[in-house]
Amino acid sequence: MIPLSIPYLDGNEWKYIKECLDTNWVSSVGSYVNLFEEKVAAYVGSKYAVATSNGTAALHISLILSGVSSDDYVIVPNITFVASLNSIKYCNANPILIDIDPETWQMDLDLLEGFLKENTYLKDGDLLLKTNNKRIKAIMPVHVLGNMCDMNRLCEIAEKFKLKIVEDATESLGSYYEKQHSGTFGDFGCFSFNGNKIITTGGGGIIVTDNSEMAKKAKHLTTQAKSSSLEYIHDEIGYNYRLVNILAALGVAQIEQLDHIIKLKKEIAAFYYKHLSQNDNINFQKITPGAIVNQWLFTIKINNQKSVLKRLIDNKIQARPFWLPMNQLEMYKKDIYVNKNDISNQVYQQCISIPCSAGITREEQQKVVTVLLDN
């Protein structure tokens, strides 16, 4: 089976993990956690970074620190991985789902702005929904597949309507908009290092921010809110969201290779673009003007998706459909969904992610192309 997206482990992973084992620093303390945080912050151009057990934990803590609380709303695109919405529910808040742009597959900013103008009002610094007077506290842009929306416009909308910005940048390490790295536009940016991401710690995430107080608070909350270095005194409800040293060591080795991995990813994408563009039945995600993307997970838009997906799998090529739109999941069907033509469902019905591991061979890529072009 040609895998969809697996880790590229070709650096100092064994060396750094062995050091953790040799020194017995394998758990929640150790030098690699701090080093990993420093390296990620430096790479994305953020002042501070706080490592977490996964990307979902990073989103959850960022929402808490943004002031999201019970019965609030958070705006989020309708096409995303479910963790984005789950993190909102962890705060006892509710999502407002915005349909996506048909070409970039990012949150439709025209729809967003139109909805806010027609359906909300500002009172005492809070944005309230007209129908029930509940607060809309934050917006969570999701950089789907490493692409980004017009972040300058999104930031202007957020400022105008007094919304905190929590960037779900879990897929976009190495992506930029107008030369600024993803995750650094908002109050908080959240990255994931799951096994299928562009670099991995096996499981892990990180919060980036330029606010020193919020960084300290994030560290405090993710370490069980323990206020004494000696005694077990906790001054508020905290979370066991720490990244452990042995996984951070893996992350340090991975980020040392990040630029090389992105180079490989872009070469893979270029091969697919070149050879699949000849088929009028295959289309691609449009890169937002001004964006430079990491080409994390190569995804095509194709008619007769289900039969093509079966053909790939029958030929031992791992492929996946897009995420089911959030408004179609049972637990989110009753939430507000802002749309005109339900572009989310159209994209979902036609998209397939195809093998693009950084270590994929050219022969394997050629096999994927041959099977896709075999009508």
Side-chain angles (χ1 to χ4, degrees), residues 171-182:
E171 302 166 21
S172 63
L173 187 65
S175 294
Y176 296 80
Y177 180 77
E178 300 287 356
K179 299 182 180 179
Q180 183 174 341
H181 198 286
S182 68

Side-chain angles (χ1 to χ4, degrees), residues 345-359:
N345 190 56
Q346 296 175 38
V347 170
Y348 162 69
Q349 295 285 350
Q350 293 181 293
C351 280
I352 300 174
S353 298
I354 59 177
C356 55
S357 305

Side-chain angles (χ1 to χ4, degrees), residues 288-346:
T288 301
I292 299 174
V293 304
N294 61 3
Q295 297 293 350
W296 164 59
L297 186 63
F298 199 88
T299 302
I300 62 172
K301 190 177 178 185
I302 191 168
N303 294 327
N304 53 294
Q305 175 219 55
K306 285 183 171 56
S307 63
V308 174
L309 191 59
K310 183 180 184 302
R311 188 164 75 239
L312 288 165
I313 295 170
D314 287 347
N315 280 273
K316 297 186 177 181
I317 296 169
Q318 189 178 35
R320 289 285 186 271
F322 225 13
W323 307 295
L324 188 70
M326 294 297 100
N327 73 303
Q328 296 184 36
L329 293 176
E330 191 62 36
M331 57 280 201
Y332 297 118
K333 283 182 178 179
K334 295 181 180 179
D335 288 294
I336 297 169
Y337 175 34
V338 181
N339 79 101
K340 290 181 178 177
N341 299 306
D342 196 12
I343 301 300
S344 297
N345 190 56
Q346 296 175 38

Side-chain angles (χ1 to χ4, degrees), residues 11-284:
N12 290 312
E13 289 85 1
W14 278 110
K15 176 183 176 182
Y16 296 163
I17 290 173
K18 185 177 184 300
E19 182 182 328
C20 292
L21 296 173
D22 288 343
T23 60
N24 217 25
W25 290 103
V26 298
S27 191
S28 57
V29 290
S31 61
Y32 278 109
V33 175
N34 292 336
L35 183 58
F36 185 54
E37 290 172 339
E38 290 168 5
K39 284 186 173 291
V40 173
Y43 191 93
V44 305
S46 181
K47 291 182 180 178
Y48 310 100
V50 178
T52 59
S53 54
N54 50 61
T56 312
L59 290 168
H60 183 202
I61 293 297
S62 296
L63 289 171
I64 291 172
L65 295 177
S66 297
V68 175
S69 58
S70 184
D71 281 339
D72 282 344
Y73 287 110
V74 177
I75 297 169
V76 65
N78 193 40
I79 285 287
T80 182
F81 181 58
V82 71
S84 307
L85 273 70
N86 287 346
S87 67
I88 296 168
K89 286 291 188 179
Y90 297 164
C91 298
N92 294 314
N94 295 297
I96 293 176
L97 303 167
I98 307 293
D99 202 7
I100 59 170
D101 179 273
E103 295 185 322
T104 65
W105 311 342
Q106 309 299 301
M107 186 187 296
D108 186 323
L109 299 186
D110 289 334
L111 268 181
L112 168 67
E113 191 163 22
F115 172 79
L116 293 175
K117 285 179 178 178
E118 295 173 16
N119 297 280
T120 67
Y121 66 98
L122 285 165
K123 182 180 180 181
D124 299 328
D126 286 329
L127 183 68
L128 305 178
L129 192 64
K130 289 180 180 179
T131 54
N132 57 18
N133 300 314
K134 290 183 179 181
R135 183 173 67 166
I136 305 174
K137 185 61 181 178
I139 184 168
M140 184 189 288
V142 181
H143 306 315
V144 176
L145 301 177
N147 196 9
M148 300 173 70
C149 67
D150 181 341
M151 288 303 295
N152 291 338
R153 184 181 175 194
L154 185 139
C155 289
E156 289 171 359
I157 293 170
E159 183 177 4
K160 179 180 178 180
F161 290 95
K162 309 301 181 187
L163 295 169
K164 293 285 188 177
I165 301 174
V166 175
E167 286 180 69
D168 184 337
T170 52
E171 302 166 21
S172 63
L173 187 65
S175 294
Y176 296 80
Y177 180 77
E178 300 287 356
K179 299 182 180 179
Q180 183 174 341
H181 198 286
S182 68
T184 64
F185 289 84
D187 300 274
F188 301 95
C190 302
F191 296 92
S192 169
F193 306 105
N194 191 31
N196 67 346
K197 294 299 190 292
I198 197 157
I199 65 170
T200 186
T201 57
I206 209 161
I207 301 166
V208 298
T209 181
D210 284 342
N211 187 311
S212 61
E213 289 302 312
M214 289 295 101
K216 290 177 184 176
K217 186 73 169 178
K219 178 67 79 172
H220 185 59
L221 288 178
T222 57
T223 53
Q224 297 283 27
K226 190 170 183 284
S227 58
S228 170
S229 59
L230 177 63
E231 297 193 55
Y232 291 97
I233 299 172
H234 308 262
D235 55 15
E236 59 185 306
I237 295 173
Y239 303 86
N240 187 14
Y241 281 173
R242 297 167 290 190
L243 184 68
V244 297
N245 196 53
I246 196 167
L247 297 186
L250 178 60
V252 171
Q254 284 275 281
I255 201 165
E256 290 174 350
Q257 302 175 80
L258 180 54
D259 286 337
H260 177 60
I261 291 171
I262 291 173
K263 178 176 180 290
L264 293 174
K265 288 279 191 176
K266 290 183 176 181
E267 289 173 355
I268 293 163
F271 182 88
Y272 280 142
Y273 283 132
K274 177 181 178 181
H275 293 280
L276 296 177
S277 295
Q278 60 187 278
N279 189 322
D280 293 336
N281 187 36
I282 297 176
N283 292 290
F284 309 99

